[in-house]
Amino acid sequence: MKIGVFGGTFDPVHVGHLAIAQAALDSAQLDRVVFVPARRSPLKDREAVASADDRYSMLVSATKPEPRFAVSRVELDRDGPSFTVDTLEALRKEGDLYLILGSDALSDLARWKSPYRIRQLATILVARRPGAPDLDGTVGAVVFDAPCLDISSRELRARAARGLSLRYLVPDEVWRHIDRRGLYR
Ligand code: ATP
């Protein structure tokens, strides 16, 4: 079983995340991709804006149409900051792990807890992200063929705060959830 592990804050999940996960399924022939929302990202200087429950619910509805997508609560249900190495240790018995990263996250990896162990536990799959360092000459990671989408959760939160719609930037169910709950206003 080849399992993609896709961690993030997902505050909110957007079409960039989903398109990358789909591309990883296709280009690395993964059996499934597990989205792992972080309780708290150790390297982000602020807490997530939406609650863990909201971020989890949005991911569940966003991933529902693809049977090979799943959402894990492993980081939400664990105390303290969310370290990827602990998540990989928890998931390793399920199959061969492939850690999916955007190129901005790849350049942070050296600052994460136990980067060497992370590389032992998972093959790193990296997607090009606009504005992030170039991936030419990347070693120790597989650059996969993903669409290059210039979209971020931060930009979406800023749009919502200005009263603008996130329709078509996030799945329909997600923008309805954001609207109904008045998130990011
Ligand atoms: P924020 O803007 O709040 O920092 P984000 O959009 O970067 O959020 P995260 O949830 O922090 O989203 O990202 C989770 C993972 O998805 C990271 O590995 C990140 O590099 C990757 N990612 C997110 N958006 C894109 C994108 N448009 N292209 C490529 N990778 C992406």
Side-chain angles (χ1 to χ4, degrees):
M1 184 86 148
K2 294 172 72 171
I3 302 172
V5 178
F6 193 16
T9 317
F10 302 110
D11 190 19
V13 59
H14 52 67
V15 295
H17 297 125
L18 294 160
I20 283 157
Q22 178 66 52
L25 276 179
D26 297 340
S27 31
Q29 281 107 42
L30 304 179
D31 296 298
R32 54 186 170 109
V33 171
V34 183
F35 290 70
V36 188
R39 205 170 103 94
R40 187 163 71 70
S41 293
L43 293 181
K44 285 195 179 173
D45 46 10
R46 39 147 204 90
E47 302 261 323
V49 176
S51 70
D53 282 346
D54 278 317
R55 291 182 294 118
Y56 178 76
S57 301
M58 289 189 281
L59 266 175
V60 168
S61 52
T63 53
K64 194 169 260 164
E66 171 51 69
R68 293 171 295 173
F69 286 166
V71 187
S72 167
R73 293 194 56 94
V74 65
E75 292 188 359
L76 298 179
D77 293 343
R78 195 166 67 214
D79 284 337
S82 305
F83 293 112
T84 297
V85 68
D86 300 335
T87 302
L88 296 176
E89 295 281 12
L91 296 177
R92 62 185 291 205
K93 53 188 179 308
E94 316 237 335
D96 295 332
L97 302 183
Y98 291 77
L99 182 64
I100 301 168
L101 300 175
S103 47
D104 57 315
L106 179 71
S107 45
D108 276 347
L109 184 64
R111 294 195 292 142
W112 293 10
K113 184 183 166 195
S114 312
Y116 182 77
R117 182 70 184 142
I118 289 176
R119 288 175 180 281
Q120 282 181 329
L121 288 164
T123 303
I124 312 248
L125 297 180
V126 57
R128 245 168 252 286
R129 185 167 193 182
D134 204 354
L135 288 170
D136 290 348
T138 298
V139 285
V142 179
V143 182
F144 68 100
D145 187 2
C148 211
L149 294 168
D150 195 354
I151 179 170
S152 67
S153 298
R154 176 189 298 267
E155 178 196 331
L156 298 191
R157 293 192 300 272
R159 291 186 73 80
R162 280 185 278 140
L164 300 172
S165 172
L166 302 190
R167 197 171 188 189
Y168 306 121
L169 299 169
V170 299
D172 265 7
E173 294 266 355
V174 174
W175 82 258
R176 284 206 197 87
H177 182 105
I178 291 170
D179 201 47
R180 195 171 56 240
R181 304 262 302 121
L183 301 180
Y184 310 119
R185 289 225 182 110

